[in-house]
Amino acid sequence: MSAHLSGIVELLSADAPAPFGSTSPVLGTTDGRRSPVLSERSSDLGGGSSKPGSPRPPPLKALAQPLLERAEEGHIGPAPATTSADGGGGEEESRSVAVTKALIYGCINAVVCAPVMISFASIIFRHPTFHRDAATYARLVKLVLFSSAVHQTVFVTTSSLVFAVGQVQDAGLIFLSSMANQVVEALEKRQAPYDEVIATALVALASSTTLLGLALVLTGKLRLAGLVQYLPLPVVGGYLAYIGLYCFEAGLSLMSGTEVTSVAQMAEQPASCLETWSSFRPSLVHWDVLPSLLPTWLAMYTVVAFSSSLDVAAIQMDMGKQLDFNHELITVGLSNAASGLCGGFTGSYIFSTTIFTYRTGTRLRLCGAVVIAAELLLFASPVTVGAYVPKLFFGAVLTFIAADLLVDWLWAARHKVHPTEYAIILLTFGAINCFGLEVGMCGGVLIAMCHFIIDYASAPVVRRIDVRSTVLRSFAHSRALAGEQTRLISLRCRGYIFFGSTLRIMEDVLSAVSVPPHLEPTLGRPPSKQRPSAQPAPPTRFVLFDFAAVTGLDATAARACFLNLTRTLAPLGIEALEYCEEKLLEEATRKQPIGTREFDSSPFVARAATQSAPDLAHLAALAGEPGGGEENSQRRQRGQLAGEVELWEERASGKRGADREQVRIARYAHGGIFGELDFFLHNRRSFRAEAGGGGTSLLTLTRGRLRDMQSEAPHLAAALEHALLRYLCFQVNAKLGLVDGVSDVTDPFARASQPLSTRANPP
């Protein structure tokens, strides 16, 4: 999240990230330029000779070597730890190298950050009112520097990353500038005095920053960091492009302003840093203006929280290590709260500088402390840096940031995002320029939502699959079901089914079913023309909807789609059955309008608690009943099956598998066999068997009785083993969906008893 630093840091290290938009690390590219700053000189840092026996300061080459070697290798990971070459005093020398490295790269980061922070002051306080008095504007610049030092202090003390760099950041600058402009314009209409305008603006910005920090801390404490990432990235891209345009305008304004050309003008700057807070006078604040800033504050909270999450994601990607987003968001919140209480402004991670420091191998918080010290020195100096440095320099920094953001988001992004998302970036950018910051971003979010609805509704929701019953039946029943399998259509639904998916689902389902040619006009399609030699597809009898992968179902889809389908298919002799979790079924029923009873009694929700849709379809086929009959539905709702056994297995569930739950793995109906695998492999039972349905009898076979049979009646034992082998082959055939030839299979138990089988007792 720091386009303002990424390009500058790149000049310091070949491994630093290339310039790209401030909240989109994914849009970054690496050009691998060689560092012009770090040379391979072997001269010592301290200069001169060292006293005998004193630790020798590390050479500059040893400090720069990690970056130089990794630039040559093209490696983007962290620099290796520095070790001593000799055997004595290794730990002490390694520590000195680490400290010196932290000091050097801390100074580099300070040199990079300080000019940018001074330039940011001209963005926050862009309104001409803040530039009317040179002494007042100089205090505002010092306030930005002090706020950056506060941010860095909090990051050094609380962040889990010892190399973290946190400063006043560009994500919230435009919102702060907008708030300041709103306050000035509102008070100028009242013709308020200059001191009251400045006091109200500063209190408004500091209060907004404090509340932002508290909101971010609360978000992290409640572990809701994932929710703030729902802001569409193209909308943020359009906002960042607007930041680029804003920086460009501010840079031109700064470069074309009045230059400081004399010592007398320098003397007009404040002599004491304590005067920085002299404008914070509560008695002069127009408190009634602050509530009007709430919409802007809400937009600022969303953008800062989202961009901070992207910063952490960019750092995590570079480190190859998982980071706690909520903890880092709390760190950002604490820094903003502290900055606001000190009269400062919003900030966050500067991910480009943080990654740069990480790649140098610096692992001491001393690096961040150097940045703090440098910014406090600039803050405490009797004059501002701008008094000695031409404004052209700071204007050039803003222009560089503007070019970085504008080129990256308005030009380079076209190759890195989908064309429709690129269009949303352009539309958001245009809307912000035409209608203002808050209205433009809301418009961008609305456009992104419409795009998502259209895109999600056009995606296929229904897919035809081959689903079979989990009930293992006898050969006689399997032969009867083999011919009915082609008349059963299974459709798997996925995702969240909403009103936009209704038309697509209706078209997919009606195109999948087969009906006699004379009934095709009923489905809104012309009669199909088949070749005389072609076999007509058998009419569909059941349509099974698999909702196992459905995450939600709204009222429009439940009524206008699935209820309408049951009504359309019922006159054609086609019954619609569903199988899903109970909570989804209850949700679909509950979302019907009050007073609607027809949905509650439809076959779509008439489901037996212990039967799945394929089981119900097979049961109806075996009973020879027409689909949708009242008597058949009543029997299914009662779940009355005679002679059945269910197998249950205990499996791990919950987080980290701490909980255990019972999962049904199979159900065996009349003539089924179970336990044969563990029986012949001599394994312990891996499941629990429960008899159900009433009137179930169980025949068992022990290994001892089987040995007796092999010795006393070897022909009977061979026939039994042969039957079991064919039964296992049949089960494999059924699992693979190979139904061809099942009707030709004879019952292997026609001449043998039924060991381990279940059957219904005669009445």
Side-chain angles (χ1 to χ4, degrees), residues 113 147-157 163-167 335 365 367-369 371-372 375:
C113 293
S147 176
S148 297
V150 172
H151 280 292
Q152 185 63 47
T153 302
V154 175
F155 277 90
V156 167
T157 55
F163 46 83
V165 177
Q167 300 282 293
S335 71
R365 298 186 186 271
C367 182
V371 178
I372 299 172
E375 291 175 339

Side-chain angles (χ1 to χ4, degrees), residues 404-425:
D404 183 18
L405 288 171
L406 289 172
V407 171
D408 198 43
W409 286 102
L410 297 184
W411 181 251
R414 73 190 193 280
H415 297 306
K416 302 179 183 298
V417 297
H418 194 272
T420 55
E421 293 180 331
Y422 179 65
I424 295 175
I425 294 176

Side-chain angles (χ1 to χ4, degrees), residues 21-49:
S22 59
T23 65
S24 179
V26 297
L27 296 182
T29 58
T30 303
D31 56 9
R33 286 185 286 176
R34 186 63 182 267
S35 168
V37 176
L38 300 176
S39 62
E40 296 193 19
R41 295 179 299 171
S42 59
S43 59
D44 296 342
L45 280 178
S49 59

